Amino acid sequence: PRFNRHFDVQTGFRTKSILTVPMRNTRSEIVGVLQTLNKHGGGAFTSEDVELLLALAGVAAAAITNALLHEEIERLFEGFAKAAVVAIES
């Protein structure tokens, strides 16, 4: 009942099965969601599929967390560099 068929109707795609897992960082905070549709070969997703998708979600969460940290470090470095230039010019 919670499934929204709007995308299927709009695109002609036929969703038969869905598996969705949280993407958790090292502090178990959810940083995203990973979803897969229509198991290859048909049928329902299994507990092994859940474990595989959770493992992939963990790797993806680590990549997202690292990218966000990298952006933060770049912003901090740019701010530090600008402050250093202003101090030198003063």
Side-chain angles (χ1 to χ4, degrees):
R2 294 184 297 168
F3 179 66
N4 182 349
R5 296 194 182 280
H6 179 74
F7 181 80
D8 282 12
V9 170
Q10 204 172 32
T11 64
F13 186 79
R14 173 96 163 91
T15 301
K16 298 176 183 177
S17 58
I18 301 173
L19 176 59
T20 307
V21 298
M23 296 168 49
R24 295 185 183 272
N25 64 17
T26 55
R27 294 181 297 225
S28 293
E29 300 167 330
I30 296 174
V31 296
V33 177
L34 195 58
Q35 183 177 74
T36 186
L37 304 174
N38 297 355
K39 181 174 177 159
H40 183 70
F45 290 102
T46 65
S47 59
E48 289 90 12
D49 297 325
V50 173
E51 291 301 317
L52 179 61
L53 197 59
L54 282 169
L56 181 59
V59 172
I64 288 171
T65 300
N66 286 342
L68 292 172
L69 288 171
H70 181 72
E71 287 178 0
E72 184 178 341
I73 289 169
E74 281 185 343
R75 280 193 304 273
L76 289 171
F77 180 75
E78 288 171 6
F80 175 74
K82 288 177 185 176
V85 169
V86 168
I88 291 171
E89 291 175 351
S90 297

PDB file of all heavy atoms in Angstrom, residues 2 6 20-21 23 32 39 48 51 55-56 59 67 69 75-76 78-79 83-84 90:
ATOM      1  N   ARG A   2       2.100   1.219   0.493  1.00  0.00           N
ATOM      2  CA  ARG A   2       2.946   2.422   0.517  1.00  0.00           C
ATOM      3  C   ARG A   2       3.671   2.644  -0.809  1.00  0.00           C
ATOM      4  O   ARG A   2       4.278   3.679  -1.006  1.00  0.00           O
ATOM      5  CB  ARG A   2       3.970   2.321   1.640  1.00  0.00           C
ATOM      6  CG  ARG A   2       3.332   2.338   3.011  1.00  0.00           C
ATOM      7  CD  ARG A   2       4.364   2.345   4.101  1.00  0.00           C
ATOM      8  NE  ARG A   2       5.159   1.131   4.044  1.00  0.00           N
ATOM      9  CZ  ARG A   2       6.276   0.931   4.712  1.00  0.00           C
ATOM     10  NH1 ARG A   2       6.739   1.870   5.494  1.00  0.00           N
ATOM     11  NH2 ARG A   2       6.921  -0.196   4.621  1.00  0.00           N
ATOM     12  N   HIS A   6       3.491   5.809  -9.466  1.00  0.00           N
ATOM     13  CA  HIS A   6       3.582   6.946 -10.386  1.00  0.00           C
ATOM     14  C   HIS A   6       4.759   6.805 -11.357  1.00  0.00           C
ATOM     15  O   HIS A   6       4.604   7.031 -12.558  1.00  0.00           O
ATOM     16  CB  HIS A   6       3.683   8.255  -9.600  1.00  0.00           C
ATOM     17  CG  HIS A   6       3.803   9.470 -10.467  1.00  0.00           C
ATOM     18  ND1 HIS A   6       2.741   9.980 -11.173  1.00  0.00           N
ATOM     19  CD2 HIS A   6       4.869  10.246 -10.755  1.00  0.00           C
ATOM     20  CE1 HIS A   6       3.145  11.031 -11.867  1.00  0.00           C
ATOM     21  NE2 HIS A   6       4.433  11.216 -11.628  1.00  0.00           N
ATOM     22  N   THR A  20      15.368  -2.290  -0.077  1.00  0.00           N
ATOM     23  CA  THR A  20      15.918  -1.008   0.349  1.00  0.00           C
ATOM     24  C   THR A  20      16.625  -1.182   1.686  1.00  0.00           C
ATOM     25  O   THR A  20      16.089  -1.816   2.585  1.00  0.00           O
ATOM     26  CB  THR A  20      14.792   0.039   0.492  1.00  0.00           C
ATOM     27  OG1 THR A  20      14.051   0.078  -0.727  1.00  0.00           O
ATOM     28  CG2 THR A  20      15.349   1.411   0.793  1.00  0.00           C
ATOM     29  N   VAL A  21      17.848  -0.628   1.793  1.00  0.00           N
ATOM     30  CA  VAL A  21      18.613  -0.705   3.040  1.00  0.00           C
ATOM     31  C   VAL A  21      19.203   0.667   3.356  1.00  0.00           C
ATOM     32  O   VAL A  21      19.465   1.468   2.452  1.00  0.00           O
ATOM     33  CB  VAL A  21      19.753  -1.758   2.968  1.00  0.00           C
ATOM     34  CG1 VAL A  21      19.195  -3.149   2.733  1.00  0.00           C
ATOM     35  CG2 VAL A  21      20.774  -1.400   1.914  1.00  0.00           C
ATOM     36  N   MET A  23      22.090   3.359   4.434  1.00  0.00           N
ATOM     37  CA  MET A  23      23.542   3.525   4.297  1.00  0.00           C
ATOM     38  C   MET A  23      24.002   4.175   5.598  1.00  0.00           C
ATOM     39  O   MET A  23      23.685   5.333   5.861  1.00  0.00           O
ATOM     40  CB  MET A  23      23.859   4.417   3.089  1.00  0.00           C
ATOM     41  CG  MET A  23      23.441   3.799   1.784  1.00  0.00           C
ATOM     42  SD  MET A  23      23.463   4.936   0.375  1.00  0.00           S
ATOM     43  CE  MET A  23      25.059   5.700   0.513  1.00  0.00           C
ATOM     44  N   GLY A  32      22.228   7.885   3.931  1.00  0.00           N
ATOM     45  CA  GLY A  32      21.543   7.695   2.666  1.00  0.00           C
ATOM     46  C   GLY A  32      20.781   6.387   2.671  1.00  0.00           C
ATOM     47  O   GLY A  32      20.709   5.691   3.694  1.00  0.00           O
ATOM     48  N   LYS A  39      14.689  -8.217  -8.786  1.00  0.00           N
ATOM     49  CA  LYS A  39      15.776  -9.187  -8.670  1.00  0.00           C
ATOM     50  C   LYS A  39      16.023  -9.880 -10.016  1.00  0.00           C
ATOM     51  O   LYS A  39      15.088 -10.309 -10.687  1.00  0.00           O
ATOM     52  CB  LYS A  39      15.444 -10.228  -7.605  1.00  0.00           C
ATOM     53  CG  LYS A  39      16.541 -11.250  -7.435  1.00  0.00           C
ATOM     54  CD  LYS A  39      16.264 -12.172  -6.293  1.00  0.00           C
ATOM     55  CE  LYS A  39      17.395 -13.202  -6.261  1.00  0.00           C
ATOM     56  NZ  LYS A  39      17.510 -13.828  -4.981  1.00  0.00           N
ATOM     57  N   GLU A  48      20.394 -13.423   1.740  1.00  0.00           N
ATOM     58  CA  GLU A  48      21.729 -13.208   1.164  1.00  0.00           C
ATOM     59  C   GLU A  48      21.768 -11.913   0.366  1.00  0.00           C
ATOM     60  O   GLU A  48      22.764 -11.180   0.390  1.00  0.00           O
ATOM     61  CB  GLU A  48      22.146 -14.387   0.267  1.00  0.00           C
ATOM     62  CG  GLU A  48      22.464 -15.661   1.014  1.00  0.00           C
ATOM     63  CD  GLU A  48      21.234 -16.546   1.198  1.00  0.00           C
ATOM     64  OE1 GLU A  48      20.183 -16.287   0.567  1.00  0.00           O
ATOM     65  OE2 GLU A  48      21.324 -17.494   1.996  1.00  0.00           O
ATOM     66  N   GLU A  51      22.084  -9.091   2.843  1.00  0.00           N
ATOM     67  CA  GLU A  51      23.464  -8.980   3.350  1.00  0.00           C
ATOM     68  C   GLU A  51      24.387  -8.341   2.318  1.00  0.00           C
ATOM     69  O   GLU A  51      25.218  -7.488   2.656  1.00  0.00           O
ATOM     70  CB  GLU A  51      23.995 -10.355   3.767  1.00  0.00           C
ATOM     71  CG  GLU A  51      23.315 -10.915   5.005  1.00  0.00           C
ATOM     72  CD  GLU A  51      23.457 -10.008   6.211  1.00  0.00           C
ATOM     73  OE1 GLU A  51      24.559  -9.472   6.460  1.00  0.00           O
ATOM     74  OE2 GLU A  51      22.446  -9.821   6.917  1.00  0.00           O
ATOM     75  N   ALA A  55      26.256  -4.705   2.704  1.00  0.00           N
ATOM     76  CA  ALA A  55      27.710  -4.550   2.553  1.00  0.00           C
ATOM     77  C   ALA A  55      28.023  -3.443   1.542  1.00  0.00           C
ATOM     78  O   ALA A  55      28.886  -2.590   1.785  1.00  0.00           O
ATOM     79  CB  ALA A  55      28.338  -5.868   2.120  1.00  0.00           C
ATOM     80  N   LEU A  56      27.317  -3.442   0.423  1.00  0.00           N
ATOM     81  CA  LEU A  56      27.504  -2.396  -0.589  1.00  0.00           C
ATOM     82  C   LEU A  56      27.119  -1.028  -0.027  1.00  0.00           C
ATOM     83  O   LEU A  56      27.811  -0.030  -0.265  1.00  0.00           O
ATOM     84  CB  LEU A  56      26.674  -2.719  -1.831  1.00  0.00           C
ATOM     85  CG  LEU A  56      26.778  -1.739  -2.984  1.00  0.00           C
ATOM     86  CD1 LEU A  56      28.213  -1.622  -3.476  1.00  0.00           C
ATOM     87  CD2 LEU A  56      25.861  -2.182  -4.122  1.00  0.00           C
ATOM     88  N   VAL A  59      29.938   0.378   2.095  1.00  0.00           N
ATOM     89  CA  VAL A  59      31.018   0.932   1.269  1.00  0.00           C
ATOM     90  C   VAL A  59      30.602   2.284   0.695  1.00  0.00           C
ATOM     91  O   VAL A  59      31.375   3.245   0.698  1.00  0.00           O
ATOM     92  CB  VAL A  59      31.409  -0.057   0.145  1.00  0.00           C
ATOM     93  CG1 VAL A  59      32.385   0.576  -0.823  1.00  0.00           C
ATOM     94  CG2 VAL A  59      31.985  -1.328   0.742  1.00  0.00           C
ATOM     95  N   ALA A  67      33.971  11.780   1.085  1.00  0.00           N
ATOM     96  CA  ALA A  67      33.840  12.916   0.170  1.00  0.00           C
ATOM     97  C   ALA A  67      33.424  14.174   0.927  1.00  0.00           C
ATOM     98  O   ALA A  67      33.950  15.268   0.677  1.00  0.00           O
ATOM     99  CB  ALA A  67      32.823  12.591  -0.929  1.00  0.00           C
ATOM    100  N   LEU A  69      33.971  14.810   4.137  1.00  0.00           N
ATOM    101  CA  LEU A  69      35.123  15.230   4.947  1.00  0.00           C
ATOM    102  C   LEU A  69      36.172  15.932   4.087  1.00  0.00           C
ATOM    103  O   LEU A  69      36.767  16.923   4.510  1.00  0.00           O
ATOM    104  CB  LEU A  69      35.734  14.025   5.664  1.00  0.00           C
ATOM    105  CG  LEU A  69      34.917  13.447   6.808  1.00  0.00           C
ATOM    106  CD1 LEU A  69      35.525  12.131   7.294  1.00  0.00           C
ATOM    107  CD2 LEU A  69      34.807  14.443   7.951  1.00  0.00           C
ATOM    108  N   ARG A  75      37.518  23.401   2.417  1.00  0.00           N
ATOM    109  CA  ARG A  75      36.976  24.697   2.835  1.00  0.00           C
ATOM    110  C   ARG A  75      37.802  25.287   3.979  1.00  0.00           C
ATOM    111  O   ARG A  75      38.107  26.476   3.991  1.00  0.00           O
ATOM    112  CB  ARG A  75      35.514  24.554   3.264  1.00  0.00           C
ATOM    113  CG  ARG A  75      34.532  24.515   2.119  1.00  0.00           C
ATOM    114  CD  ARG A  75      33.094  24.698   2.603  1.00  0.00           C
ATOM    115  NE  ARG A  75      32.688  23.730   3.600  1.00  0.00           N
ATOM    116  CZ  ARG A  75      32.180  22.523   3.346  1.00  0.00           C
ATOM    117  NH1 ARG A  75      32.033  22.132   2.104  1.00  0.00           N
ATOM    118  NH2 ARG A  75      31.824  21.716   4.316  1.00  0.00           N
ATOM    119  N   LEU A  76      38.175  24.456   4.944  1.00  0.00           N
ATOM    120  CA  LEU A  76      38.982  24.929   6.064  1.00  0.00           C
ATOM    121  C   LEU A  76      40.352  25.404   5.589  1.00  0.00           C
ATOM    122  O   LEU A  76      40.853  26.444   6.033  1.00  0.00           O
ATOM    123  CB  LEU A  76      39.140  23.825   7.114  1.00  0.00           C
ATOM    124  CG  LEU A  76      37.892  23.479   7.915  1.00  0.00           C
ATOM    125  CD1 LEU A  76      38.137  22.218   8.752  1.00  0.00           C
ATOM    126  CD2 LEU A  76      37.489  24.640   8.803  1.00  0.00           C
ATOM    127  N   GLU A  78      41.136  26.496   2.560  1.00  0.00           N
ATOM    128  CA  GLU A  78      40.975  27.742   1.808  1.00  0.00           C
ATOM    129  C   GLU A  78      40.798  28.921   2.746  1.00  0.00           C
ATOM    130  O   GLU A  78      41.365  29.999   2.524  1.00  0.00           O
ATOM    131  CB  GLU A  78      39.791  27.633   0.849  1.00  0.00           C
ATOM    132  CG  GLU A  78      40.061  26.734  -0.340  1.00  0.00           C
ATOM    133  CD  GLU A  78      38.816  26.464  -1.176  1.00  0.00           C
ATOM    134  OE1 GLU A  78      37.752  27.076  -0.904  1.00  0.00           O
ATOM    135  OE2 GLU A  78      38.908  25.638  -2.091  1.00  0.00           O
ATOM    136  N   GLY A  79      40.009  28.742   3.810  1.00  0.00           N
ATOM    137  CA  GLY A  79      39.839  29.812   4.801  1.00  0.00           C
ATOM    138  C   GLY A  79      41.142  30.144   5.497  1.00  0.00           C
ATOM    139  O   GLY A  79      41.472  31.320   5.703  1.00  0.00           O
ATOM    140  N   ALA A  83      43.218  33.705   5.270  1.00  0.00           N
ATOM    141  CA  ALA A  83      43.597  34.414   6.489  1.00  0.00           C
ATOM    142  C   ALA A  83      45.093  34.639   6.523  1.00  0.00           C
ATOM    143  O   ALA A  83      45.564  35.703   6.962  1.00  0.00           O
ATOM    144  CB  ALA A  83      43.146  33.629   7.715  1.00  0.00           C
ATOM    145  N   ALA A  84      45.867  33.687   6.068  1.00  0.00           N
ATOM    146  CA  ALA A  84      47.330  33.820   6.054  1.00  0.00           C
ATOM    147  C   ALA A  84      47.750  34.928   5.088  1.00  0.00           C
ATOM    148  O   ALA A  84      48.649  35.718   5.389  1.00  0.00           O
ATOM    149  CB  ALA A  84      47.975  32.499   5.673  1.00  0.00           C
ATOM    150  N   SER A  90      49.089  42.538   5.818  1.00  0.00           N
ATOM    151  CA  SER A  90      48.828  43.580   6.827  1.00  0.00           C
ATOM    152  C   SER A  90      50.091  44.159   7.381  1.00  0.00           C
ATOM    153  O   SER A  90      51.102  43.729   7.567  1.00  0.00           O
ATOM    154  CB  SER A  90      47.993  43.028   7.971  1.00  0.00           C
ATOM    155  OG  SER A  90      46.745  42.623   7.478  1.00  0.00           O
TER     156      SER A  90
END
